[in-house]
Amino acid sequence: PDEPTVFCHEGELHLWAGRYGLARDSFLQSLAITPKVRWAYVGLCAVEMMVEDYDKALWWCDEGLANFPPPGRTMYAYRGEVYRRTGELELALAETQQMLEMTPGRITSWMNRALIERARGEDAADERLHTTYKKLWAHAPGLMHDGLERHQTIERFSSPSPEEICALFETLFG
């Protein structure tokens, strides 16, 4: 098909399944049709983040902005996560806050903000982790069950330590 969003949807499925090479190919196929498809750039940023090529992830964000401004909401989420993973905590917080202003219900941004605040050593960071943990159980119990299956040190009805919550959130990020 000559519809680029079809390849973006395909890329997103590959991304969620952990097939990063196939995801990259799908997003690039979308861009071969037209450079005016925001989701391809966002998807390529996500792919490169997941394979820990953070410079390339940010490069794809820049390419997206150059070819199809302005940034979409999801770009803020991914850039925030990339910046957290690279230790650029001020940039991470700014991007994540922007995302949460645009989409207050974005679960991964709740987790990212809690992890950023903990990494920054903020006084209320442990409280934010526990609050976010409880919110996730209320809003995304399936995600939490999946996370606990992969991170088997926390019991469902326990009160985990901040370190355990951080580890669980990292597990949920993939």
Side-chain angles (χ1 to χ4, degrees):
D2 352 342
E3 175 53 48
T5 56
V6 169
F7 295 105
C8 289
H9 292 302
E10 178 183 69
E12 191 169 350
L13 291 172
H14 288 307
L15 181 64
W16 279 101
R19 297 185 298 258
Y20 304 124
L22 292 172
R24 183 184 295 111
D25 292 345
S26 294
F27 293 125
L28 289 172
Q29 196 165 0
S30 176
L31 290 177
I33 296 169
T34 177
K36 302 288 186 200
V37 57
R38 180 175 291 126
W39 286 109
Y41 299 104
V42 171
L44 287 162
C45 172
V47 165
E48 300 306 338
M49 179 183 69
M50 295 308 293
V51 299
E52 300 181 359
D53 190 341
Y54 302 124
D55 289 336
K56 194 158 192 180
L58 294 173
W59 182 84
W60 278 116
C61 290
D62 292 343
E63 283 294 297
L65 292 173
N67 287 289
F68 198 64
R73 297 177 303 208
T74 308
M75 191 173 287
Y76 290 107
Y78 283 124
R79 284 192 310 205
E81 190 175 342
V82 168
Y83 288 135
R84 177 184 55 79
R85 290 178 180 213
T86 60
E88 297 180 67
L89 300 178
E90 296 305 315
L91 289 171
L93 186 59
E95 295 286 321
T96 302
Q97 286 298 110
Q98 179 65 38
M99 177 65 222
L100 288 169
E101 286 173 21
M102 297 171 84
T103 308
R106 185 163 178 110
I107 290 169
T108 56
S109 292
W110 297 347
M111 292 188 299
N112 203 38
R113 180 179 57 192
L115 290 170
I116 292 164
E117 289 175 358
R118 184 86 196 288
R120 288 171 39 138
E122 293 185 16
D123 291 338
D126 289 352
E127 182 180 329
R128 169 85 71 186
L129 281 168
H130 281 284
T131 300
T132 302
Y133 178 79
K134 290 174 187 168
K135 278 176 67 173
L136 286 170
W137 274 112
H139 295 280
L143 176 68
M144 294 299 283
H145 281 290
D146 290 349
L148 292 184
E149 282 183 20
R150 288 184 287 171
H151 192 283
Q152 298 181 358
T153 61
I154 301 173
E155 295 295 323
R156 164 62 178 100
F157 295 103
S158 69
S159 181
S161 70
E163 292 77 18
E164 289 173 314
I165 295 173
C166 286
L168 174 64
F169 288 178
E170 291 291 353
T171 297
L172 291 171
F173 274 120

